[in-house]
PDB file of all heavy atoms in Angstrom:
ATOM      1  N   ARG A  21       4.824 -13.202   0.137  1.00  0.00           N
ATOM      2  CA  ARG A  21       3.365 -13.206   0.248  1.00  0.00           C
ATOM      3  C   ARG A  21       2.942 -13.060   1.701  1.00  0.00           C
ATOM      4  O   ARG A  21       3.625 -13.522   2.606  1.00  0.00           O
ATOM      5  CB  ARG A  21       2.817 -14.502  -0.326  1.00  0.00           C
ATOM      6  CG  ARG A  21       3.041 -14.602  -1.828  1.00  0.00           C
ATOM      7  CD  ARG A  21       2.627 -15.931  -2.394  1.00  0.00           C
ATOM      8  NE  ARG A  21       1.187 -16.093  -2.220  1.00  0.00           N
ATOM      9  CZ  ARG A  21       0.561 -17.234  -2.410  1.00  0.00           C
ATOM     10  NH1 ARG A  21       1.223 -18.311  -2.762  1.00  0.00           N
ATOM     11  NH2 ARG A  21      -0.742 -17.310  -2.239  1.00  0.00           N
ATOM     12  N   LEU A  22       1.782 -12.436   1.898  1.00  0.00           N
ATOM     13  CA  LEU A  22       1.174 -12.301   3.214  1.00  0.00           C
ATOM     14  C   LEU A  22      -0.152 -13.055   3.189  1.00  0.00           C
ATOM     15  O   LEU A  22      -0.843 -13.068   2.173  1.00  0.00           O
ATOM     16  CB  LEU A  22       0.940 -10.829   3.563  1.00  0.00           C
ATOM     17  CG  LEU A  22       2.195  -9.945   3.608  1.00  0.00           C
ATOM     18  CD1 LEU A  22       1.800  -8.496   3.831  1.00  0.00           C
ATOM     19  CD2 LEU A  22       3.136 -10.410   4.696  1.00  0.00           C
ATOM     20  N   SER A  23      -0.518 -13.660   4.283  1.00  0.00           N
ATOM     21  CA  SER A  23      -1.753 -14.440   4.360  1.00  0.00           C
ATOM     22  C   SER A  23      -2.978 -13.537   4.392  1.00  0.00           C
ATOM     23  O   SER A  23      -2.978 -12.522   5.098  1.00  0.00           O
ATOM     24  CB  SER A  23      -1.759 -15.308   5.617  1.00  0.00           C
ATOM     25  OG  SER A  23      -0.697 -16.213   5.594  1.00  0.00           O
ATOM     26  N   PRO A  24      -4.030 -13.897   3.634  1.00  0.00           N
ATOM     27  CA  PRO A  24      -5.283 -13.143   3.723  1.00  0.00           C
ATOM     28  C   PRO A  24      -5.758 -13.084   5.172  1.00  0.00           C
ATOM     29  O   PRO A  24      -5.627 -14.047   5.923  1.00  0.00           O
ATOM     30  CB  PRO A  24      -6.244 -13.950   2.845  1.00  0.00           C
ATOM     31  CG  PRO A  24      -5.352 -14.628   1.852  1.00  0.00           C
ATOM     32  CD  PRO A  24      -4.112 -14.971   2.642  1.00  0.00           C
ATOM     33  N   GLY A  25      -6.280 -11.925   5.561  1.00  0.00           N
ATOM     34  CA  GLY A  25      -6.743 -11.719   6.925  1.00  0.00           C
ATOM     35  C   GLY A  25      -5.690 -11.115   7.837  1.00  0.00           C
ATOM     36  O   GLY A  25      -6.004 -10.717   8.958  1.00  0.00           O
ATOM     37  N   THR A  26      -4.432 -11.058   7.382  1.00  0.00           N
ATOM     38  CA  THR A  26      -3.365 -10.489   8.200  1.00  0.00           C
ATOM     39  C   THR A  26      -3.632  -9.006   8.436  1.00  0.00           C
ATOM     40  O   THR A  26      -3.806  -8.248   7.484  1.00  0.00           O
ATOM     41  CB  THR A  26      -1.984 -10.647   7.514  1.00  0.00           C
ATOM     42  OG1 THR A  26      -1.733 -12.033   7.300  1.00  0.00           O
ATOM     43  CG2 THR A  26      -0.871 -10.035   8.336  1.00  0.00           C
ATOM     44  N   PRO A  27      -3.681  -8.556   9.707  1.00  0.00           N
ATOM     45  CA  PRO A  27      -3.865  -7.135   9.980  1.00  0.00           C
ATOM     46  C   PRO A  27      -2.534  -6.395   9.802  1.00  0.00           C
ATOM     47  O   PRO A  27      -1.469  -6.934  10.123  1.00  0.00           O
ATOM     48  CB  PRO A  27      -4.329  -7.105  11.433  1.00  0.00           C
ATOM     49  CG  PRO A  27      -3.770  -8.352  12.038  1.00  0.00           C
ATOM     50  CD  PRO A  27      -3.680  -9.361  10.926  1.00  0.00           C
ATOM     51  N   GLU A  46      -6.273  -4.708   6.207  1.00  0.00           N
ATOM     52  CA  GLU A  46      -6.296  -6.158   6.278  1.00  0.00           C
ATOM     53  C   GLU A  46      -5.960  -6.715   4.899  1.00  0.00           C
ATOM     54  O   GLU A  46      -6.486  -6.230   3.894  1.00  0.00           O
ATOM     55  CB  GLU A  46      -7.683  -6.635   6.709  1.00  0.00           C
ATOM     56  CG  GLU A  46      -7.809  -8.130   6.796  1.00  0.00           C
ATOM     57  CD  GLU A  46      -9.201  -8.567   7.205  1.00  0.00           C
ATOM     58  OE1 GLU A  46     -10.185  -7.903   6.813  1.00  0.00           O
ATOM     59  OE2 GLU A  46      -9.299  -9.577   7.893  1.00  0.00           O
ATOM     60  N   VAL A  47      -5.087  -7.719   4.859  1.00  0.00           N
ATOM     61  CA  VAL A  47      -4.717  -8.347   3.596  1.00  0.00           C
ATOM     62  C   VAL A  47      -5.929  -9.087   3.032  1.00  0.00           C
ATOM     63  O   VAL A  47      -6.567  -9.872   3.727  1.00  0.00           O
ATOM     64  CB  VAL A  47      -3.530  -9.327   3.780  1.00  0.00           C
ATOM     65  CG1 VAL A  47      -3.241 -10.085   2.491  1.00  0.00           C
ATOM     66  CG2 VAL A  47      -2.298  -8.574   4.256  1.00  0.00           C
ATOM     67  N   VAL A  48      -6.238  -8.810   1.768  1.00  0.00           N
ATOM     68  CA  VAL A  48      -7.322  -9.484   1.070  1.00  0.00           C
ATOM     69  C   VAL A  48      -6.759 -10.606   0.199  1.00  0.00           C
ATOM     70  O   VAL A  48      -7.295 -11.700   0.139  1.00  0.00           O
ATOM     71  CB  VAL A  48      -8.129  -8.482   0.210  1.00  0.00           C
ATOM     72  CG1 VAL A  48      -9.205  -9.173  -0.592  1.00  0.00           C
ATOM     73  CG2 VAL A  48      -8.728  -7.397   1.083  1.00  0.00           C
ATOM     74  N   ARG A  49      -5.659 -10.311  -0.480  1.00  0.00           N
ATOM     75  CA  ARG A  49      -5.011 -11.311  -1.332  1.00  0.00           C
ATOM     76  C   ARG A  49      -3.534 -10.978  -1.454  1.00  0.00           C
ATOM     77  O   ARG A  49      -3.130  -9.820  -1.282  1.00  0.00           O
ATOM     78  CB  ARG A  49      -5.653 -11.367  -2.708  1.00  0.00           C
ATOM     79  CG  ARG A  49      -5.477 -10.097  -3.513  1.00  0.00           C
ATOM     80  CD  ARG A  49      -6.056 -10.220  -4.922  1.00  0.00           C
ATOM     81  NE  ARG A  49      -5.914  -8.973  -5.632  1.00  0.00           N
ATOM     82  CZ  ARG A  49      -4.821  -8.568  -6.260  1.00  0.00           C
ATOM     83  NH1 ARG A  49      -3.739  -9.317  -6.258  1.00  0.00           N
ATOM     84  NH2 ARG A  49      -4.792  -7.414  -6.890  1.00  0.00           N
ATOM     85  N   SER A  50      -2.738 -11.974  -1.783  1.00  0.00           N
ATOM     86  CA  SER A  50      -1.308 -11.765  -1.972  1.00  0.00           C
ATOM     87  C   SER A  50      -0.823 -12.823  -2.957  1.00  0.00           C
ATOM     88  O   SER A  50      -0.910 -14.024  -2.682  1.00  0.00           O
ATOM     89  CB  SER A  50      -0.578 -11.879  -0.631  1.00  0.00           C
ATOM     90  OG  SER A  50       0.742 -11.420  -0.716  1.00  0.00           O
ATOM     91  N   THR A  51      -0.363 -12.377  -4.118  1.00  0.00           N
ATOM     92  CA  THR A  51       0.072 -13.303  -5.164  1.00  0.00           C
ATOM     93  C   THR A  51       1.499 -12.984  -5.591  1.00  0.00           C
ATOM     94  O   THR A  51       1.918 -11.819  -5.558  1.00  0.00           O
ATOM     95  CB  THR A  51      -0.857 -13.214  -6.391  1.00  0.00           C
ATOM     96  OG1 THR A  51      -0.881 -11.865  -6.862  1.00  0.00           O
ATOM     97  CG2 THR A  51      -2.277 -13.641  -6.044  1.00  0.00           C
ATOM     98  N   THR A  67       0.217  -7.461  -3.106  1.00  0.00           N
ATOM     99  CA  THR A  67      -0.642  -7.684  -1.952  1.00  0.00           C
ATOM    100  C   THR A  67      -1.750  -6.635  -1.910  1.00  0.00           C
ATOM    101  O   THR A  67      -1.473  -5.443  -1.764  1.00  0.00           O
ATOM    102  CB  THR A  67       0.199  -7.648  -0.654  1.00  0.00           C
ATOM    103  OG1 THR A  67       1.203  -8.671  -0.740  1.00  0.00           O
ATOM    104  CG2 THR A  67      -0.659  -7.873   0.575  1.00  0.00           C
ATOM    105  N   GLY A  68      -2.972  -7.090  -2.047  1.00  0.00           N
ATOM    106  CA  GLY A  68      -4.130  -6.210  -1.992  1.00  0.00           C
ATOM    107  C   GLY A  68      -4.636  -6.122  -0.565  1.00  0.00           C
ATOM    108  O   GLY A  68      -4.807  -7.139   0.101  1.00  0.00           O
TER     109      GLY A  68
END
Side-chain angles (χ1 to χ4, degrees):
R21 293 174 64 192
L22 300 175
S23 299
T26 301
E46 179 181 35
V47 174
V48 176
R49 65 176 178 82
S50 192
T51 57
T67 301

